[in-house]
Amino acid sequence: MRCSRRPAAIRAGGPAWARLAAITDATQIWAGIDHACAVRTAGTLSCWGFAGQGQIGAGSVADPEATVPPTEPKGISNARLVWTGGDRTCVVLSDNKGVCFGANTLG
């Protein structure tokens, strides 16, 4: 899987594309502006990209401009759907409950 990179990273001389570790079992992928997540067949979630507000489930990172490689947010083992947007991620679980992480600016 390849994903485009943030325009600032390209202007700084970085490549336009970033190659991700093999994710061959995705049942759904949702890509926002700065981060993306994939629901995997086992119900786990893999998220990658910018994580300044904890939006990929890895907690806040020291450098908000750093790109975090695919990581599995802890405690999610029954994901059904994922949505990424702005500085947040929301997941619908197999029991139809929802979990969100990242910026809490919208309540």
Side-chain angles (χ1 to χ4, degrees):
M1 181 184 315
R2 291 182 351 154
C3 294
S4 65
R5 297 186 69 190
R6 192 177 214 189
I10 297 168
R11 283 194 300 273
W17 295 95
R19 186 168 300 279
L20 298 176
I23 296 178
T24 59
D25 61 344
T27 60
Q28 185 216 358
I29 298 172
W30 193 287
I33 294 172
D34 289 333
H35 73 290
C37 293
V39 175
R40 303 181 78 169
T41 56
T44 58
L45 191 66
S46 289
C47 297
W48 60 93
F50 293 93
Q53 299 293 319
Q55 64 265 42
I56 66 166
S60 293
V61 295
D63 179 2
E65 292 296 313
T67 301
V68 177
T71 185
E72 290 186 7
K74 292 186 191 303
I76 297 181
S77 61
N78 59 339
R80 191 166 54 98
L81 299 168
V82 65
W83 172 87
T84 64
D87 293 332
R88 63 202 54 79
T89 297
C90 292
V91 183
V92 176
L93 305 173
S94 61
D95 60 4
N96 290 322
K97 293 182 180 176
V99 175
C100 294
F101 41 90
N104 190 23
T105 56
L106 300 176

